[in-house]
Structures are given as C-alpha cells and as structure tokens.
C-alpha cells in the first residue's frame, strides 16, 4: 500500500507528465497568469491540463456560442476562445470589474478580443438578462463562479441551452469535501451534482481531476 504522501507525489507526477505532452509552454497563457498575479487576483484558474480539456470539449461539440460564468483573469476564456470559429462568440460573466479588466487585456494579447465579451455584474442578474433578451441557446456553458449558486446556475444554464448543449462545472469534487460537506459551498456543490445525476433532461458524469488537490469537473449533455 502506498501512503498518502507518495500517492500525492504520484498524482502530481502524472499531472506533470500529461502537461508535458499536451500543454506545452505558451507565452500568451503564461502572460495571462503573470498579469493576473501582478494584479493581485486569486490564483484559482483552471490548471493547464483542465484548460486543454475545456478547449477539447468546445472543439468536440463544434461550439460557436460559449457562455462562461466566472471569468477571473481570462485563463479559461482564452482556451474557449481558441476553440471558436472565426465568427464564434464567448460571453463570460464576472462580478468583479477589476478581474474583468485584467481578463480583457489577457484576451487581447492573443488577438481574441473580437470573439470574447466580458460582462460585469452578478451572474444571476446577467443570466436573467440573457434569458430575457433571448441570447441563447449556447452550445457550451461553463460554470465556475461562486459555488453556493451552482444549483441556481444549473437552472439558468438549462434555460439557455438546447438539446445537445454541453454544461460543464468546475470544482465539483473539491478535495473530496462533497463526500461529507462541512460548509455551504460544499453542500451546494453536492446538491449540484445530485441534481445533474437525477435530472431527466441531462445525461452526465463527474470526472475527477488532479490539481493542487483532487478536484473534479461535472460534464452534462442536454437531452
Ligand atoms: N474560470 C476562471 C476562474 C474563475 S474563478 C479560470 O479558470 O480562469 C471565479 C470567478 O467568479 C471570480 O473571478 C469571481 O470574482 C467570480 N464570481 C464570484 N461570484 C460571482 C457572481 N455572483 N457573479 C459573477 N461572477 C462571480
Ligand atoms: C476556488 C474557486 C475555483 O473556481 C477554483 O477553481 C479553485 C478554488 C475557491 O474559491 O477557492
Ligand atoms: Mg474553478
């Protein structure tokens, strides 16, 4: 039996191995992280490997319209924008004006500004406006903002999707805290996964991922 430390090291080594193969050094992505750090943003972007996974999902569904909930410094947004065709659009929702400004600059560095619109405000209000203005459906929706609102974001996502749309959600294992939730965010995340599992409109799974700690991404296809 391996002890906890050697298991953690093995997981880190595996993540680095995959990163070496599929997430080679990338000046724009590195600049995005550097500038985000310089601006004092929290370092809670997706990992390079998860970024590749998001990009691959967008490519797989041939996404032309992508919606992201939680922009931060635009690290995941750059991956989505890179998967879009020339006339594709990513709308990304962010409550923090400073995060949005950093993200816009990071996206611009890759010449992707034409495809990316960062909207500032509380996602719940921005989502209501998207529905109100009939801006859906989106081919892919990525949920990655405040965890307490994940169940609510799932409902909005369903209203903004069509059969075949993909709904993804980050941080749905959170070091295993969803197994025995001790706080509101773990409880809401657990509730989110349960709703995806039992909703007859969705076909889904939770995929564990290796990050700083073990986390996961929920993947659901709208039927
Ligand atoms: N997707 C990003 C990480 C997002 S971190 C990446 O991987 O690069 C979560 C972001 O959600 C933060 O920037 C935070 O400010 C934002 N956020 C938190 N609550 C929000 C809300 N109610 N509405 C919109 N954005 C919110
Ligand atoms: C946190 C949020 C995230 O979206 C993430 O990917 C990692 C951590 C957080 O709030 O701690
Ligand atoms: Mg996240």
């Amino acid at each position: 039996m391996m002890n906890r430390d050697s298991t953690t090291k093995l997981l880190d080594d595996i993540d680095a191995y995959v990163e070496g193969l599929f997430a080679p050094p990338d000046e724009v992505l590195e600049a995005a992280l550097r500038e985000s750090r310089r601006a004092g943003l929290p370092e809670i972007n997706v990992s390079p490997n998860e970024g590749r996974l998001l990009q691959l999902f967008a490519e797989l569904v041939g996404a032309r319209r992508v919606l992201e909930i939680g922009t931060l410094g635009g690290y995941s947004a750059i991956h989505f924008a890179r998967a879009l065709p020339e006339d594709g659009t990513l709308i990304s929702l962010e409550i923090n004006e400073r995060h949005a400004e950093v993200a816009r600059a990071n996206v611009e560095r890759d010449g992707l500004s034409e495809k990316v619109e960062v909207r500032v405000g509380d996602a719940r209000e921005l989502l209501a406006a998207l529905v109100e203005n009939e801006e859906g459906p989106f081919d892919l929706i990525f949920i990655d903002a405040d965890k307490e609102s994940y169940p609510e974001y799932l409902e909005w996502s369903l209203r903004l999707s069509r059969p075949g749309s993909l709904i993804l959600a980050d941080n749905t294992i959170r070091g295993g805290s969803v197994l025995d939730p001790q706080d509101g965010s773990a409880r809401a995340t657990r509730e989110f996964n349960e709703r995806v599992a039992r909703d007859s409109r969705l076909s889904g799974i939770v995929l564990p991922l290796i990050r700083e700690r073990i986390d996961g991404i929920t993947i659901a296809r709208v039927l």
Side-chain angles (χ1 to χ4, degrees), residues 199-211:
D199 195 316
S200 61
R201 296 167 292 181
L202 293 169
S203 165
I205 190 68
V206 180
L207 183 70
L209 285 178
I210 305 165
R211 297 178 46 159

Side-chain angles (χ1 to χ4, degrees), residues 10 37 63 81 83-84 104 106 109 113 137 145 159 175 178 181 192 204 206 209 220:
L10 180 58
R37 198 175 308 122
L84 288 171
R104 289 190 191 107
N106 284 336
R109 205 171 292 112
S113 294
R159 295 181 67 176
V178 292
F192 174 88
V206 180
L209 285 178

